Amino acid sequence: DIQMTQFPSSLSASVGDRVTITCRASHDIDSYLGWFLQRPGQAPKSLIYAASSLQSGVPSKFSGSGSGTDFSLTIDSLQPEDFGTYYCQQYSDYPHTFGGGTKVEIK
Amino acid sequence: QVHIVQSGAEVKKPGASVKVSCKATGYTFKNFGIHWVRQAPGQRLEWMGWINAGNRNTKSAESFQDRLTISSDTSTTTAYMELRTLRSEDTAVYYCARSWVGLPIDYWGQGTLVTVSS
C-alpha cells in the first residue's frame, strides 16, 4: 500500500494567517492527490483534486501544488470556518490511502 | 444538486453484520462511483472500497476483503456497504461518497455511526 504522511500533525494559527500543509507519498503518485477539510463533528469536505485543481465552489484562497511524492496545500487569510483537520488522499493505486491529518487550531 | 443521504446509526453485537445504505440524488447515478470510508474515534480516515455504479465493478482494501461487500442498485440510486463478523475495532463513523471514475471524492454523505458492543 502507498503510505501518505502529513506534517505538521497540528498547528496553531491566527485569523488572517497564511498556512501551508505538506503531504508526502511513499511512492510516485503523479498528480493523483486530493485534499479534504473535516470540521469537528462533520463529514469531510472535498477541496482539491489532481493536486492543484479546485473542486466546484471552493474559494481560490485554497491552493495545492506538487507532483510525484511531495505535495502541499496553502490556505490564504485563514477564517474561522477554515479551522479543522485537513487530510490528503492518493488515488493513484488501490487502496486509496489517506494521510494522518493536520489539525489547524485557532491561536 | 447532488445529495447523498445515509441510513441511521446502528448498534451491533460482536460477530453480527451491519448493512449501511447510501441514497444518491441530483445526478446520473450510473455515471459515477461510490466510495466507502470509515473513521474510528480520534483516528484518520480509512478507505474501505469502491463500486462503479455503472458496471458494478468493485475494489476493496485487502484488510476488509473477506468481510466486506459493496453493492449498488441503479433503480433506486442506492449503494450499500455490508460488513460481517463485526468486532469492537469496527466501531466507527462510516461515510459513503461519490467520485467520477479516475477522480477522487467530490461529495460526501453525512456519515453513519456503527457501534459494536456486547
Side-chain angles (χ1 to χ4, degrees), chain A residues 38 44 46 55 87 91 96 98, chain B residues 39 44 47 104-106 108-109:
Chain A
Q38 186 176 36
S46 302
Q55 292 280 6
Y87 292 95
Y91 54 102
H96 290 181
F98 288 89
Chain B
Q39 187 172 40
R44 72 172 68 187
W47 185 86
I105 290 165
D106 57 3
W108 296 73

Side-chain angles (χ1 to χ4, degrees), chain B residues 39-44 88-93 113:
Chain B
Q39 187 172 40
Q43 301 301 307
R44 72 172 68 187
S88 58
E89 310 89 89
D90 294 317
T91 293
V93 176
L113 175 62

